[in-house]
Amino acid sequence: MDASVVGIRLASGVVAPLVRKLFRQEGAGAGLVDRPHRLSSYVAWREKRGLDAADLRRLADRLVKEALAAPGERPLPPGEEAGVSAALAATLHALGDLALSDVDAVRLGPQAFARKLRAAAPHPGLSRDAELFHSRLVDLACLHILNFFTQRSTFVAATLVEQSRLHAETITKVDELLTRVPRQDGRDTAFEARYLEYLAGRHSTLTIFGLDLAPGSSRWPLDAAYVSLEGSAAPGAGGGAGADAPSSPCSLPADRLLDEHHRVLLRGEAGSGKTTLIQWLAVSAARNPGTGVVPFVLPLRTLTRHGERLPAPRDFLAGTPLAGEAPGGWESRVLRDGRALLLVDGIDEIPETERNRAREWLADLITACPGNRWLVTSRPSAVRQDWLADVDFSEVTLAPMSRANVRAFVERWHAAADHAPAEYREQLLDSVARKPDLARLATNPLLCGLICALHRERRGFLPAGRKELYAAALSMLLDRRDRERGVRLPYLAEEPQLQLLQRLAYWLIRNGRTEMDRSRAEALIADALPAVPAAGALGDAQAVFGHFLERTGLLRAPTEDTVQFVHRTFQDFLGARAALDEGSLGELTGHADDDQWEDVIRMAVAQGRPRERTEIIRSLLARDSQRSVLLALACLGYAAELDPVLRAEVEQQAGRLVPPTSVGMARELGRIGPLVLELLPTPERAPAGPAALHTVQAAGGVLSELAIPFLVRYTGHPSHQVRAELARLWPRFETRRYAAEVISSLPADQNVTVVSDAELAALAEFSPRRDLNVVGDVTGEALAAYLGAVRAQYLAVRGNGLITDLGFLKGQDALLAIEVSRCSGIRDLEGLRGLPVRSAVLDLRGDLLPIGPVLAGWTSLRGLVLRGTHANWSLDGFAPRVRLDSVNVYSVTPDAAGPVGLSRHRGLRSVSLGECWAPRDPAEWQELALLTELTELAVPGPSLDLVPDGLRMPSVEQLHLPRSMSLGPEITRRLPGVFPGLRSVSGDFDESAVGALPPHILVTRS
């Protein structure tokens, strides 16, 4: 409010001194005593502190006089001056009666404060013009009074105190409101905790075969059952292939797949442990809520049981007890934040006609929510090799169980069994080691479980083949188990039960399903009961179904209204039996190219009579497709009796398919078993190029000790890829024999990877090597023993969760290159100090480890890759004599100093800098420009905005720009000027940015 607004023009220098006289002087402080703050405590005439009524009248007279003397039209008729002065003095006197503090008065503002003052004073009783003049004088006085209050030394302090009180009151009220109406993120957090708890409980047990646990229990704790298997990634999987990407598959623990690849299509045979792996990943994430990862288990067989559309995020919990309880939009928020782990189980378990729709569903979700992790499972031949390649899925195949896996499984099974004699365990382990046929069967968790159960059930005697194994398992579950345990129930022989169960199995196979409604199952049983009168001993269809579900262990109910076989293998075995009984051989072979029928056809050959086997195999050959011929060849291993002429014809046609021309075909040939070894070419007959590699892959897939002599013949092959594949196959065979025969025959400079203490000991015994790769949980003691006997030159330790320090490296005075990656348990780097390494790769996870003293002591270092997290360190922290050739620093550290210090390494040819280390200002770009031999540079795209005008780096030929999506053409247009020697650039540019580059620069868009 300005003085001109009220029509009285008085200088502040006139009014302010008069107003100041109205109030007594105060000392500094917030005025927290003498509460409440009434204006009466400030006015000067209270308690005779300097002004009395006469003084106040004189101040009013002077204010009126000064107002009348101001230039302009006289606002008041002559003779009314005294009345206005008296009224003004009375109004100002009312200041002492206002129950306001100075803070309250200022908060009101001058106009509202003036209204309160006039209301507290007696009515002036003036003429209309005089009252208007009086009112304007009061407004003017109030404006200056409030200004005076804000200048008092106590006002600021008192205002801060008042604001603090208001803030505290507001916080208290908001907190109370939040307790009554929780915020959305509060509801999210509460539900998320409940969901993770449910998920950990729901998936923390497995179905067991032949085990009697505590009364009422038919489940096996996942923690006790889980055996970590290996996954074989395709060459260059994960979109990160470069010059150093492996050209043959590389192995890694299956439960760590998503550490390496954020999107994985996992292929595995029936019973190979795909669903168990999904359970393990889900439970591991659910039990570690601090990571923020939220798993969603999405079994396609259940989600599409009636041909329903695949779910949107809001329906991910459909079919669970928590359906409808999540806060609205919770699933979408988890996906949007990139915190989801989506575990999609069983692409092969939905009809082939629905798989393209499933693929579109996956692609749409990934496009909408790109930052999450995905694992999709399938049988090997269900979808083509590159089915999800365009959405950046890595192809990984679940490897068969190694000997170490089988031993661990057998030991855990017997530990969980209540009454399994210890000698049974040792006898079974000895049988698996000595009998090749039995070892061929023990290739996956399902078959291992069956072998353990039957071995105990039959007191040490086991069936010889796969057909006999399944038949014996069915007999144990359907008949002998309850009868021999003395369970008092109506007796139903094995054959009537098989007749009814195989009808359920064949219905599922014909309809491309692995799950059906309970009502459908009961209806199928009801239709069949008149033809199987013996089953009437159990009652009606509902009672028979209840017996199968509750007593046999062959069926299970995922929900109250659905049912499925406990494993797909039993469904296929019984479905084949039904097809043979119905004489549906043409229907079987008519589906030879449908992956869902492959095992059904094999089982039909295994269970059929000689005439039926012949008809099936001839029909397969008549189709003359690569897939049907391979299937015919595989069936030979299941045919106990077959016309030799037909057998020779199959082998002749299959001979056209060897050597295999792809990884997929090699895998299919390996599944056939030892029979294929007779067809595969020896090194002398194998064509040059990839054929030799695929031949070795096929032989390695046979999973029989009979393959070892064949593989030995390839150890002298000139191809590095072939020799690397031979080294990679080691875990599939008996450790010591393979080391003695195959590993020891490989060239001394062949890189070999070990994954267990046993392999490391065997390597030291049969083929000690100075270059060593160690992957997985090998103990520090085993490493120390090996390095104590072998002066290693190169050592890589990756993905080890056991070691906590690197003490096994002490004294390694010949070590020239070291890699330590993804070893989350390491808490001590002391073992790295003083090593003579020239090249190092350190990917440190977990604690902020002190890396500085280690790097300062490496006086021979020429190349460094540093990732993960570590304590404060800067690029000028190398030993004084060190001159680097290459540096790749993507680590995260508090208060990183950017590229400062790199300029002294004038010989640097390759520099890659992550977010913490990229140039942060033009001066740091100037430091990089001093590297005159630099040919390859990688920096985050946004740092190019800081390149100063005129800067030139003519030696740079390759430029890598992650996070360059935001770069516009105005930036990329400058690149040839800054880097005149540039030949190639990579990054996630948009079209306009690429278009601004000259055509001679090769652009790779990531």
Side-chain angles (χ1 to χ4, degrees):
M1 181 177 179
D2 194 284
S4 63
V5 175
V6 297
I8 300 176
R9 295 176 176 83
L10 287 178
S12 294
V14 174
V15 182
L18 299 178
V19 168
R20 196 174 294 116
K21 290 183 178 182
L22 295 172
F23 300 94
R24 58 185 173 84
Q25 299 300 310
E26 294 283 341
L32 297 180
V33 296
D34 199 17
R35 300 279 297 165
H37 291 307
R38 298 167 61 91
L39 289 182
S40 59
S41 63
Y42 303 139
V43 295
W45 56 88
R46 289 283 172 171
E47 301 176 6
K48 302 192 183 299
R49 295 184 181 180
L51 286 181
D52 55 17
D55 296 325
L56 195 57
R57 175 58 186 270
R58 283 193 291 273
L59 285 173
D61 288 344
R62 184 175 175 188
L63 190 57
V64 171
K65 180 180 177 182
E66 294 288 347
L68 291 174
E73 183 179 352
R74 181 180 174 88
L76 186 68
E80 293 195 31
E81 296 89 347
V84 171
S85 293
L88 181 58
T91 302
L92 294 175
H93 192 275
L95 283 169
D97 299 322
L98 292 179
L100 293 171
S101 69
D102 52 355
V103 175
D104 293 331
V106 172
R107 186 182 299 119
L108 283 173
Q111 291 180 330
F113 179 60
R115 286 195 295 271
K116 279 191 170 292
L117 184 57
R118 283 194 291 269
H123 191 274
L126 301 171
S127 67
R128 186 170 177 272
D129 287 341
E131 187 172 343
L132 180 60
F133 181 63
H134 167 265
S135 180
R136 291 173 177 173
L137 284 173
V138 172
D139 289 344
L140 179 62
C142 286
L143 177 65
H144 285 272
I145 287 170
L146 297 188
N147 183 66
F148 171 78
F149 284 164
T150 64
Q151 295 172 339
R152 290 164 54 86
S153 60
T154 59
F155 177 84
V156 173
T159 302
L160 291 174
V161 170
E162 185 67 10
Q163 287 177 344
S164 298
R165 286 197 195 95
L166 289 174
H167 288 165
E169 290 175 6
T170 302
I171 291 170
T172 301
K173 292 175 180 176
V174 170
D175 287 344
E176 183 178 355
L177 182 62
L178 287 175
T179 61
R180 297 179 182 177
V181 184
R183 294 181 301 171
Q184 186 64 54
D185 60 350
R187 293 199 299 272
D188 281 3
T189 301
F191 176 78
E192 197 167 296
R194 185 174 172 221
Y195 170 69
L196 293 177
E197 181 180 3
Y198 158 76
L199 204 68
R202 169 68 179 81
H203 294 287
S204 62
T205 57
L206 298 174
T207 302
I208 357 164
F209 297 97
L211 274 187
D212 301 317
L213 298 179
S217 172
S218 63
R219 309 287 286 175
W220 195 3
L222 183 65
D223 289 338
Y226 184 72
V227 174
S228 179
L229 303 178
E230 292 286 315
S232 176
D244 299 325
S247 53
S248 61
C250 56
S251 297
L252 62 163
D255 49 10
R256 295 179 185 170
L257 287 176
L258 295 173
D259 292 344
E260 299 293 322
H261 313 283
H262 285 190
R263 299 173 192 168
V264 172
L265 172 59
L266 180 68
R267 300 177 189 267
E269 302 290 348
S272 60
K274 301 184 296 295
T275 300
T276 302
L277 174 62
I278 278 182
Q279 288 185 241
W280 179 262
L281 293 173
V283 170
S284 297
R287 288 176 176 172
N288 293 279
T291 64
V293 175
V294 179
F296 294 100
V297 179
L298 304 172
L300 293 185
R301 60 182 173 271
T302 301
L303 298 174
T304 63
R305 187 172 66 249
H306 300 298
E308 301 96 333
R309 292 183 62 84
L310 287 160
R314 65 177 176 274
D315 300 319
F316 279 179
L317 304 189
T320 73
L322 300 183
E325 295 189 21
W330 170 73
E331 299 91 342
S332 295
R333 287 189 290 276
V334 171
L335 285 163
R336 180 194 62 206
D337 295 343
R339 298 193 296 117
L341 170 60
L342 296 115
L343 303 167
V344 182
D345 192 21
I347 286 291
D348 58 288
E349 295 183 356
I350 60 175
E352 189 170 3
T353 55
E354 297 179 14
R355 291 176 193 167
N356 282 337
R357 186 157 56 93
R359 186 186 174 284
E360 293 172 2
W361 170 73
L362 286 167
D364 286 346
L365 281 173
I366 290 168
T367 301
C369 308
N372 301 285
R373 298 190 178 193
W374 292 79
L375 179 71
V376 179
T377 71
S378 172
R379 288 196 186 186
S381 56
V383 292
R384 67 178 187 270
Q385 194 70 21
D386 58 348
W387 193 63
L388 291 173
D390 59 348
V391 281
D392 296 327
F393 269 72
S394 300
E395 294 264 351
V396 178
T397 300
L398 200 58
M401 294 176 75
S402 67
R403 292 303 178 93
N405 294 147
V406 173
R407 170 173 284 276
F409 185 98
V410 170
E411 289 175 346
R412 293 183 184 190
W413 192 98
H414 284 82
D418 283 349
H419 307 293
E423 58 267 24
Y424 280 12
R425 179 192 64 200
E426 297 306 319
Q427 183 185 41
L428 180 56
L429 288 172
D430 182 64
S431 296
V432 172
R434 288 189 300 103
K435 298 179 179 180
D437 289 342
L438 184 59
R440 276 199 65 223
L441 287 176
T443 57
N444 63 51
L446 169 70
L447 292 173
C448 278
L450 287 176
I451 288 169
C452 290
L454 288 169
H455 186 264
R456 186 186 69 165
E457 186 82 8
R458 296 181 168 212
R459 295 172 174 79
F461 295 95
L462 282 169
R466 187 167 297 208
K467 171 207 164 184
E468 292 77 12
L469 182 68
Y470 295 153
L474 288 170
S475 177
M476 177 183 69
L477 296 172
L478 293 177
D479 181 24
R480 295 178 56 198
R481 187 164 177 264
D482 275 354
R483 183 159 48 88
E484 293 181 7
R485 291 166 61 205
V487 176
R488 295 185 178 181
L489 290 171
Y491 175 71
L492 182 60
E494 182 180 330
E495 182 60 28
Q497 296 184 72
L498 289 173
Q499 288 292 327
L500 296 176
L501 286 166
Q502 70 188 35
R503 283 169 167 77
L504 302 184
Y506 207 29
W507 185 95
L508 288 167
I509 292 167
R510 280 173 161 162
N511 288 275
R513 301 291 175 188
T514 58
E515 190 174 290
M516 69 170 70
D517 289 342
R518 181 176 184 139
S519 59
R520 168 76 66 180
E522 291 177 352
L524 289 169
I525 292 172
D527 291 343
L529 276 178
V532 190
L538 298 177
D540 59 10
Q542 186 174 3
V544 173
F545 174 81
H547 169 80
F548 289 150
L549 186 62
E550 296 166 11
R551 300 305 314 161
T552 68
L554 276 174
L555 298 181
R556 64 182 174 194
T559 66
E560 289 185 3
D561 61 344
T562 62
V563 65
Q564 62 184 192
F565 281 89
V566 72
H567 200 278
R568 175 75 176 268
T569 298
F570 291 118
Q571 175 182 310
D572 292 344
F573 185 85
L574 290 168
R577 195 176 188 273
L580 291 170
D581 283 357
E582 292 182 13
S584 303
L585 304 186
E587 182 179 18
L588 283 175
T589 56
H591 288 88
D593 292 325
D594 185 340
D595 65 278
Q596 290 193 325
W597 288 72
E598 282 186 10
D599 282 348
V600 182
I601 294 171
R602 290 192 185 96
M603 290 296 104
V605 170
Q607 299 177 81
R609 292 168 293 191
R611 180 187 58 79
E612 293 166 330
R613 295 186 192 122
T614 299
E615 183 176 343
I616 291 171
I617 292 175
R618 286 198 180 280
S619 296
L620 292 174
L621 291 180
R623 295 179 68 87
D624 199 29
S625 69
Q626 177 177 300
R627 190 164 185 168
S628 65
V629 172
L630 279 175
L631 185 55
L633 181 63
C635 287
L636 296 184
Y638 293 83
E641 179 184 344
L642 192 68
D643 182 355
V645 175
L646 179 57
R647 184 181 294 272
E649 185 180 348
V650 172
E651 292 177 353
Q652 180 183 359
Q653 289 203 34
R656 304 198 311 262
L657 304 179
V658 295
T661 57
S662 68
V663 174
M665 186 179 290
R667 186 184 302 121
E668 292 296 321
L669 286 171
R671 292 171 62 193
I672 292 168
L675 177 67
V676 80
L677 296 173
E678 301 173 12
L679 302 177
L680 292 173
T682 61
E684 298 77 22
R685 293 171 40 226
L693 172 63
H694 298 320
T695 297
V696 169
Q697 290 168 341
V702 167
L703 302 178
S704 167
E705 302 300 305
L706 297 174
I708 291 180
F710 180 88
L711 294 172
V712 169
R713 302 177 70 174
Y714 274 85
T715 55
H717 197 279
S719 168
H720 172 76
Q721 297 178 27
V722 170
R723 299 195 305 270
E725 180 67 13
L726 289 168
R728 192 186 68 83
L729 291 172
W730 190 2
R732 299 190 182 184
F733 298 91
E734 197 280 319
T735 300
R736 288 176 53 79
R737 180 182 175 187
Y738 197 88
E741 298 185 31
V742 178
I743 300 298
S744 65
S745 300
L746 291 171
D749 61 351
Q750 177 63 49
N751 197 296
V752 174
T753 297
V754 300
V755 298
S756 67
D757 287 8
E759 286 187 0
L760 196 55
L763 190 67
E765 180 180 356
F766 296 109
S767 184
R769 292 167 186 270
R770 302 191 71 183
D771 291 354
L772 180 65
N773 276 301
V774 179
V775 175
D777 291 339
V778 175
T779 64
E781 292 77 11
L783 284 164
Y786 183 90
L787 295 174
V790 180
R791 297 182 72 235
Q793 292 182 331
Y794 168 81
L795 173 65
V797 182
R798 305 186 188 99
N800 191 315
L802 291 181
I803 57 176
T804 58
D805 62 62
L806 301 171
F808 52 82
L809 291 174
K810 290 183 178 179
Q812 294 300 310
D813 55 4
L815 196 62
L816 301 180
I818 179 74
E819 177 180 347
V820 179
S821 299
R822 307 185 313 278
C823 299
S824 57
I826 292 180
R827 299 292 181 268
D828 184 359
L829 301 180
E830 190 65 26
L832 291 173
R833 289 209 188 195
L835 295 176
V837 294
R838 298 176 185 172
S839 173
V841 177
L842 301 178
D843 185 352
L844 306 173
R845 308 284 176 97
D847 291 351
L848 296 178
L849 298 173
I851 194 67
V854 171
L855 296 178
W858 285 352
T859 58
S860 302
L861 190 65
R862 302 302 300 269
L864 174 68
V865 176
L866 188 60
R867 299 176 184 272
T869 58
H870 55 80
N872 278 335
W873 172 77
S874 65
L875 287 168
D876 62 356
F878 295 103
R881 293 188 302 170
V882 165
R883 293 295 181 266
L884 296 175
D885 296 326
S886 67
V887 62
N888 180 320
V889 187
Y890 277 83
S891 59
V892 176
T893 182
D895 304 321
V900 175
L902 278 186
S903 58
R904 74 178 173 94
H905 303 279
R906 298 300 175 91
L908 273 169
R909 295 182 176 274
S910 176
V911 171
S912 297
L913 302 174
E915 294 286 342
C916 289
W917 307 97
R920 299 163 299 179
D921 54 47
E924 293 183 353
W925 269 106
Q926 295 284 6
E927 175 148 356
L928 285 182
L930 297 175
L931 303 175
T932 56
E933 296 186 31
L934 187 66
T935 59
E936 184 176 9
L937 175 64
V939 291
S943 67
L944 289 177
D945 290 332
L946 304 173
V947 175
D949 293 337
L951 182 135
R952 286 168 57 84
M953 300 179 68
S955 61
V956 174
E957 299 176 357
Q958 300 177 54
L959 187 63
H960 307 285
L961 301 172
R963 293 186 58 245
S964 51
M965 190 175 296
S966 62
L967 296 185
E970 68 281 358
I971 298 296
T972 55
R973 195 176 292 117
R974 293 183 57 201
L975 294 182
V978 178
F979 308 103
L982 192 61
R983 295 182 180 179
S984 66
V985 61
S986 65
D988 48 350
F989 310 104
D990 62 22
E991 290 289 349
S992 62
V994 172
L997 290 167
H1000 74 273
I1001 296 179
L1002 176 65
V1003 179
T1004 303
R1005 297 174 65 184
S1006 56

